[in-house]
């Protein structure tokens, strides 16, 4: 009889403790955006690769703007900054999938303010 009671308690405790999932934001809050040192290689190029280059590259880039290389980005930098900073709902906002995160915009602005270096 003791053995059955132990098994029932063990199964009950296992069931209760086996379905717990932590949410990182609940535990640690949101991750702060560090824009103190923003570089082309570590921050801006990966951002553009993930959000822009699928449409803005190749033989016929969207809007005639190829953003696949540093030189091309520098050529179109003013337009890029302008388009990603449009308000939500503006048909000219880029990317068309939705606005960039606040952190991404902060990093882009910091990079431009620092001279938009190829570093």
């Amino acid at each position: 009889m003791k053995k059955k009671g132990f098994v029932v308690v063990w199964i009950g405790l296992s069931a209760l403790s086996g379905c717990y999932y932590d949410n990182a934001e609940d535990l640690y809050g949101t991750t702060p955006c560090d824009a103190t040192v923003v570089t082309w290689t570590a921050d801006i190029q990966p951002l553009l690769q993930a959000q822009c280059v699928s449409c803005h590259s190749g033989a016929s880039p969207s809007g005639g703007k190829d953003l696949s290389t540093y030189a091309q980005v520098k050529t179109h930098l003013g337009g890029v900054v302008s388009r990603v900073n449009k308000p939500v709902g503006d048909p000219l906002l880029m990317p068309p999938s939705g606005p960039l995160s606040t952190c991404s915009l902060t990093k882009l602005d910091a990079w431009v303010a620092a001279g938009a270096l190829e570093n």
Side-chain angles (χ1 to χ4, degrees):
M1 192 66 157
K2 280 186 171 182
K3 195 172 188 180
K4 274 187 178 178
F6 174 76
V7 170
V8 170
V9 170
W10 181 78
I11 290 173
L13 289 175
S14 295
L16 289 175
S17 66
C19 296
Y20 178 75
Y21 296 100
D22 286 328
N23 180 325
E25 285 188 11
D26 290 342
L27 291 173
Y28 310 113
T30 57
T31 305
C33 181
D34 183 7
T36 54
V37 179
V38 179
T39 66
W40 164 257
T41 307
D43 302 291
I44 305 306
Q45 187 177 30
L47 169 65
L48 296 176
Q49 287 293 323
Q51 299 292 329
C52 308
V53 170
S54 62
C55 296
H56 294 284
S57 64
S60 300
S62 183
K65 292 173 177 46
D66 185 339
L67 302 176
S68 61
T69 67
Y70 172 79
Q72 291 291 340
V73 170
K74 282 287 282 193
T75 300
H76 304 293
L77 189 56
V80 170
V81 171
S82 171
R83 296 291 291 268
V84 299
N85 282 297
K86 297 280 184 198
V88 174
D90 188 315
L92 299 177
L93 173 67
M94 287 288 142
S97 60
L100 296 177
S101 70
T102 302
C103 186
S104 293
L105 291 172
T106 300
K107 286 182 177 187
L108 181 62
D109 290 342
W111 179 69
V112 170
L117 302 174
E118 185 179 16
N119 52 3

